[in-house]
Amino acid sequence: MISGYAVDKATAEAACQTVVEAVKDRVSLPGVFAKIDCRGISYPGSAVVRSPLPTTPEVGVAASGKPVEPTSQQAQVTCQSRLAEAGKSGFIRFEKGSSPLLAGQEVLDRVAVVAKECSTFKIEIGGHTDTGGAADLNQRLSEQRANTVRDFLISKGVPADQVIAKGYGESQPLVNDFPNGNSDTPGQPDSPLREQNRRIEFKIIGSN
C-alpha cells in the first residue's frame, strides 16, 4: 500500500507509476506477482482524504520470469503521467489577450514526443484563463489558445485525429485570483495568482 499526499491527481498517478517501475526492475523470480495499491495517495479535489485513484497498476511476471505486458489501463496511466510531466516542464505563454505563442515551444516539443509515443490514446488540449474580464471573451480566448497548441503539435508530427482542442475559459480556476475582492480593476497590477489559472492542460480522454 502506497500512501501520501500529492499536489494534484497527475502527480499522484505519476508517484504510483514510479513505484510500479521500481518493482518491475526487482521482480525476477518465476511465478512472482506484485500488486501496487495506490489508494492511500490523496490530492486536492479528492472526494475523501484517502480517495482511491481510478486505476490500480499491477505488475506481473510469467512463469518464464519475463515481465507480463502492461495492460492498456497501465499504459494510459503511464502516458497521462508523462504528458503531465512534459506539460509542466516549463511555461507556455501567449501574447496578452490573444493566442499567438510567446514562449513554451520547447515544452510543446516534449509534449509532442510523448503524444507520438502514446499514439493509441486521444489527447485533449484544455485551455484555461484567469477570471479577469468578460467570461465570454475568456471562453473564446481559451479555445483559440488550445487550438494554437493543437496546431503546433500537429506541425511536429502528432496526428491531427489524436489531439482535440477544448476551451474552458475561466470555469475551472486552480486558485481564487482576486482574493481581496478587487475584481478586474483597470490599472491594477497583475497578480501571480492569475498566472496560475492561465494554463494549458493535457489529458487522455480515450483510445485513438
Side-chain angles (χ1 to χ4, degrees):
M1 169 71 80
I2 308 302
S3 63
Y5 187 81
V7 296
D8 54 27
K9 180 179 177 180
T11 305
E13 292 176 343
C16 184
Q17 189 60 33
T18 297
V19 177
V20 170
E21 295 298 327
V23 170
K24 278 185 181 179
D25 295 338
R26 291 164 175 76
V27 178
S28 57
L29 297 177
V32 171
F33 180 79
K35 180 176 181 180
I36 309 300
D37 190 338
C38 295
R39 291 177 295 174
I41 303 179
S42 60
Y43 48 88
S46 299
V48 292
V49 175
R50 286 292 177 261
S51 172
L53 291 177
T55 55
T56 305
E58 296 180 348
V59 178
V61 173
S64 63
K66 296 181 180 179
V68 175
E69 288 298 315
T71 64
S72 59
Q73 194 176 53
Q74 285 177 250
Q76 181 171 336
V77 171
T78 300
C79 284
Q80 179 62 67
S81 299
R82 293 181 63 201
L83 277 173
E85 182 180 0
K88 295 178 180 178
S89 63
F91 296 99
I92 302 171
R93 291 194 174 93
F94 302 87
E95 293 186 12
K96 186 174 179 62
S98 59
S99 58
L101 272 173
L102 195 61
Q105 288 87 345
E106 71 287 350
V107 176
L108 297 182
D109 284 338
R110 299 183 193 107
V111 171
V113 170
V114 175
K116 286 185 284 188
E117 291 176 356
C118 295
S119 59
T120 57
F121 298 109
K122 281 192 178 297
I123 300 170
E124 178 189 282
I125 304 164
H128 301 263
T129 69
D130 59 40
T131 62
D136 59 337
L137 294 179
N138 284 335
Q139 178 61 37
R140 287 198 295 273
L141 182 60
S142 67
E143 293 169 0
Q144 292 165 357
R145 289 178 171 178
N147 274 298
T148 293
V149 171
R150 180 178 182 271
D151 291 343
F152 184 96
L153 295 180
I154 292 173
S155 75
K156 294 296 181 177
V158 178
D161 62 356
Q162 185 188 2
V163 282
I164 299 171
K166 184 171 182 179
Y168 290 92
E170 59 184 60
S171 66
Q172 297 182 8
L174 294 177
V175 296
N176 176 9
D177 50 22
F178 290 105
N180 299 321
N182 295 330
S183 187
D184 195 19
T185 305
Q188 177 182 330
D190 204 4
S191 166
L193 294 174
R194 298 177 71 182
E195 185 71 23
Q196 294 182 48
N197 288 333
R198 302 176 193 135
R199 65 195 190 280
I200 294 290
E201 295 182 341
F202 302 95
K203 179 172 64 177
I204 290 176
I205 56 174
S207 299
N208 190 25

